[in-house]
Amino acid sequence: MVDFKRTSDGISAEDLVAFANAPEGGTILAGVGEQSVEGAQVGVILGCDVSDGAVLQILNKAISCLPPVSVDIVVENLGDKPILRIGVPSSSTRPHCTPKGLYCRRDGSRNRALHPGELLEIFLDVEARVFAERFETAASSISEELESLEDSLSATIRNMSNELGWAQSNLDDTSSTIDTILAYAKRVDDETIDISDRLRALFRQDERDDPVRDRTRKELTQELVDQISEDADLMKAILANRELSYTMRGKTARELTVEDGQKALAEAAKIIHDREDRKNYQARIADPGDCSPQTLDAITAAVARGEDKARVRAALAGAFRIAFSIYKGKVVAVAGLAKPRAAARAALFKRMACSADPAEFRIRLDWLYLHQDHRNKGQLTKLVTELRKLTKGQPLFSLAKRGDALTRELLAHLKFKPATRQADSAEGEEVPEALFLLAAARA
């Protein structure tokens, strides 16, 4: 994740904490502004103060966090308009909070507070990691001490043998003693391995979550993504859906099963496929008057879904804004904003038996469409999020037809609340459509 700041002063302790608490960390570019190009937000290099004082100010903010946040600050573009690149890795000591006690994390393009459940999950993950590290350290310490004892005894026996010229029988006895000690050491080592195996089995029985196993698989998945991305031949193989194989070693092989390793490779392949596939999407937000007739025709064909295309086309032409995503030349996602007249809103709210004041809800979220082959890729959510920014936090309303699971699922995800009284009609039929409301955003 990347965030743009026009000046280094704009970087707050909350920004550093949010990235450090995120699973993948992030990067902040100071001296870079944002500009909308054909509906998409792009970075524009402005330059900023890159002096030692500016760097020290950022470091002081990182140190003031609880616990302190690790950052990597690099000056770039020094010959023209210098900027600061502040890398904030995902922290192994999270969760972090600001000096004022705010726990937050990065979510898309904004910082949000960590929910109690998320904080609990992070604390449990940290405790599990500490337990695993202490366990491995203790086991390693026992093995090292036994090896040291074995070496010490062997050296002592050799010295005594050289100095006193012991008989062969005595040497045999000594050898027997060493064998006994080695057998004891092996037993301790085997018992240590048994304890570790039992702990893994305890977590895996009844498919319980094992935080150490989950973390190891995530680390393996990211390592596979990095290795494949750096190798052109492996990238071609993955994108061509050819099968790859590899061998796990060391701690990874102990913590994960072969099936876990295969799942990690499959997850890495999916991450790479999704990352490369996202490059094929082109999102745009526009006034309908700025769209070509061919574009409006394509959007109409996508959202009509059995309705009269001429009526839908006319409604789209009167929209406030239309957002759409194009994938390889085809419209695959659409969302729009309309500003119905007060009389139309009042009639709709009355028909829906909604007690809310229609005068407060002046903007309608409409024409929601997502091609089934492009679901679960965030395209429609991205369009609606950008449209939401244009409303500056004003209340919204929307309609969802009965059986339109996509619209209802999206509205629920965006925190819309149902406002229609779910009463059957006189004929015993359900209400054909439902009204959803989204309250004004908090300042």
Side-chain angles (χ1 to χ4, degrees):
M1 293 186 289
V2 179
D3 191 17
F4 299 145
K5 298 293 184 181
R6 301 179 70 88
T7 65
S8 59
D9 293 338
I11 300 173
S12 65
E14 181 179 334
D15 295 323
L16 301 176
V17 164
F19 278 117
N21 285 336
E24 65 277 8
T27 301
I28 303 174
L29 299 179
V32 179
E34 290 185 336
Q35 177 177 323
S36 178
V37 178
E38 295 185 354
Q41 296 296 321
V42 298
V44 178
I45 296 179
L46 306 174
C48 69
D49 180 12
V50 297
S51 65
D52 292 343
V55 173
L56 182 59
Q57 184 182 38
I58 297 172
L59 291 175
N60 286 337
K61 291 178 181 179
I63 294 173
S64 69
C65 301
L66 303 173
V69 172
S70 174
V71 296
D72 182 21
I73 303 176
V74 179
V75 179
E76 295 186 350
N77 204 35
L78 192 58
D80 187 9
K81 297 178 180 179
I83 64 173
L84 290 175
R85 176 167 59 83
I86 300 94
V88 186
S90 180
S91 176
S92 61
T93 59
R94 56 184 176 152
H96 296 263
C97 71
T98 67
K100 295 183 179 180
L102 174 62
Y103 289 90
C104 60
R105 61 165 290 175
R106 196 69 176 177
D107 189 358
S109 60
R110 65 185 180 88
N111 302 333
R112 69 167 178 81
L114 281 169
H115 302 308
E118 293 176 314
L119 270 175
L120 177 60
E121 181 179 354
I122 292 175
F123 280 121
L124 289 177
D125 180 66
V126 170
E127 290 302 318
R129 184 171 62 250
V130 171
F131 171 81
E133 291 173 352
R134 288 178 178 175
F135 182 86
E136 290 178 358
T137 300
S140 176
S141 177
I142 292 174
S143 298
E144 291 175 356
E145 290 178 1
L146 288 173
E147 290 176 358
S148 176
L149 176 60
E150 178 188 342
D151 293 340
S152 177
L153 285 172
S154 297
T156 301
I157 292 170
R158 284 195 301 271
N159 290 336
M160 293 177 67
S161 175
N162 292 333
E163 292 176 4
L164 301 177
W166 281 5
Q168 182 64 42
S169 59
N170 290 335
L171 289 175
D172 291 340
D173 291 341
T174 302
S175 177
S176 176
T177 302
I178 293 177
D179 290 341
T180 301
I181 294 174
L182 290 175
Y184 176 75
K186 184 178 184 305
R187 189 180 71 181
V188 172
D189 188 53
D190 290 343
E191 290 179 353
T192 301
I193 294 175
D194 288 343
I195 293 173
S196 181
D197 290 341
R198 289 173 183 174
L199 284 173
R200 296 189 189 100
L202 179 64
F203 277 110
R204 292 174 185 174
Q205 72 179 15
D206 301 326
E207 298 183 352
R208 296 180 184 178
D209 291 335
D210 181 349
V212 176
R213 175 191 180 193
D214 292 342
R215 185 181 70 251
T216 302
R217 195 171 81 180
K218 288 179 181 179
E219 293 173 350
L220 175 60
T221 300
Q222 186 57 52
E223 183 179 346
L224 289 171
V225 170
D226 294 340
Q227 290 183 1
I228 293 172
S229 299
E230 294 173 357
D231 191 306
D233 293 334
L234 290 178
M235 280 291 294
K236 290 180 181 179
I238 284 291
L239 296 178
N241 294 319
R242 294 204 296 269
E243 289 189 4
L244 297 179
S245 62
Y246 70 104
T247 302
M248 296 185 296
R249 294 184 176 87
K251 178 183 176 182
T252 302
R254 293 195 303 271
E255 292 293 343
L256 302 179
T257 64
V258 174
E259 183 181 2
D260 290 331
Q262 293 172 345
K263 289 181 179 179
L265 181 58
E267 290 171 2
K270 185 178 185 304
I271 291 172
I272 293 173
H273 272 284
D274 291 345
R275 182 187 66 195
E276 296 301 311
D277 194 50
R278 281 195 294 271
K279 298 177 182 178
N280 294 315
Y281 290 97
Q282 294 180 330
R284 182 184 175 192
I285 300 178
D287 186 305
D290 296 333
C291 297
S292 67
Q294 293 80 3
T295 299
L296 286 179
D297 288 341
I299 296 174
T300 300
V303 303
R305 289 181 287 182
E307 299 183 22
D308 181 76
K309 290 186 177 181
R311 186 180 65 81
V312 175
R313 178 74 153 69
L316 285 169
F320 168 58
R321 288 289 186 277
I322 298 177
F324 53 95
S325 183
I326 296 177
Y327 179 85
K328 296 182 179 180
K330 295 183 179 181
V331 175
V332 297
V334 180
L337 296 177
K339 294 183 177 180
R341 294 183 178 180
R345 286 184 277 115
L348 174 64
F349 277 52
K350 181 178 180 181
R351 178 165 58 88
M352 292 293 170
C354 177
S355 60
D357 185 1
E360 297 181 4
F361 296 84
R362 300 183 179 183
I363 303 177
R364 173 176 173 174
L365 177 64
D366 204 351
W367 304 294
L368 298 175
Y369 166 77
L370 179 63
H371 192 281
Q372 61 180 6
D373 293 341
H374 299 269
R375 296 188 178 183
N376 299 319
K377 296 186 178 181
Q379 292 302 309
L380 186 54
T381 300
K382 177 182 178 182
L383 296 180
V384 175
T385 301
E386 293 302 318
L387 286 174
R388 180 67 172 144
K389 293 178 182 179
L390 297 178
T391 68
K392 298 180 180 179
Q394 296 183 59
L396 298 178
F397 72 95
S398 185
L399 286 175
K401 294 183 179 180
R402 184 179 61 189
D404 189 350
L406 171 64
T407 299
R408 291 173 181 266
E409 180 181 342
L410 176 66
L411 293 177
H413 175 71
L414 296 171
K415 309 304 182 184
F416 277 75
K417 303 297 182 183
T420 302
R421 295 178 184 173
Q422 298 298 322
D424 293 343
S425 64
E427 293 77 13
E429 297 180 353
E430 296 181 1
V431 178
E433 55 187 358
L435 178 65
F436 289 81
L437 304 180
L438 179 64
R442 295 181 179 179

